[in-house]
Structures are given as structure tokens and as C-alpha cells.
Amino acid sequence: MLSLAEAIAPERWAGLRPFAEATAVAAAKGDRAAYLESDRTFHQTVLGLAGNQQLVIVADDLHRRAQWPLACGRVTRTADLVADAEEHMALLDALTARDLDTVESLTRAHFAPTV
């Protein structure tokens, strides 16, 4: 993420905002199916900026597996979806501002295991 943060122009990050907003809307409605699809699209688009299609394919497969409700043995609460979507928006803000310290901390927190 840090390499992308340095390489990608702020305008391109702003172009990802509709994907993050779609995730936030679905999360707020508690629409898990729409949330899962828009979340995958957001992550695919971010990774696609790296220019490595194989990375996108492998990460998407892992993302789908991790999202499957039985994978973690619990149903995700709407509040968890909203918090996750808010992280996407905060990350885009940091990427657009080229705030690398915030990008790093948000990325680490976003992928940290939850209990």
C-alpha cells in the first residue's frame, strides 16, 4: 500500500470514492450481499492499481473465502460492516493527502485479525 500511496496520483485515489461510498451505503442498510460485492470491488480496484493481475486474482480468491460467513464461524454485525466501510473512506482520505503514516496505520488495522 505504501508503494501505491507514493506512486498513484491523488486524483486516481479520488476516483475510487464511489466504490467506497457504495460499500458504506450497503453497510448502513445492513445489506450484506451488496456490502460483500462492493467491498470486493473496492479491494480489487485498489490492488488493480499495482498493475499485477495475478495479485488481483489471488487476493480476490482469498477475500471471497474470508467473507464467507462459515469461514469465521460468526455473522458479522451491521456495525462491523459500517466500521469497515468507514476505514475505506479514511484510507482514501489519507491516500489522497499522501499521508503515508496514516495509510500505513489504517492498512495494518484494516487487516488485523478481529476477535
Side-chain angles (χ1 to χ4, degrees):
M1 270 317 290
L2 290 176
S3 294
L4 285 177
E6 293 172 331
I8 302 298
E11 313 78 63
R12 290 194 62 200
W13 292 118
L16 273 67
R17 192 155 302 273
F19 301 119
E21 289 170 350
T23 304
V25 168
K29 290 180 180 178
D31 185 344
R32 283 170 177 71
Y35 169 83
L36 294 174
E37 188 57 36
S38 61
D39 184 61
R40 279 184 56 222
T41 300
F42 177 80
H43 284 264
Q44 286 174 329
T45 306
V46 168
L47 287 175
L49 293 173
N52 182 338
Q53 188 58 31
Q54 187 64 32
L55 173 65
V56 174
I57 291 167
V58 170
D60 184 54
D61 182 53
L62 292 172
H63 196 224
R64 274 187 292 111
R65 291 173 192 230
Q67 285 181 329
W68 183 251
L70 298 178
C72 62
R74 66 181 171 80
V75 175
T76 304
R77 299 173 312 143
T78 298
D80 295 332
L81 301 180
V82 170
D84 188 67
E86 288 172 355
E87 289 178 2
H88 291 169
M89 299 295 274
L91 179 61
L92 286 177
D93 290 342
L95 288 163
T96 301
R98 293 195 181 231
D99 180 349
L100 300 182
D101 291 335
T102 301
V103 168
E104 182 176 14
S105 69
L106 287 171
T107 301
R108 287 184 188 279
H110 191 68
F111 290 104
T114 57
V115 180

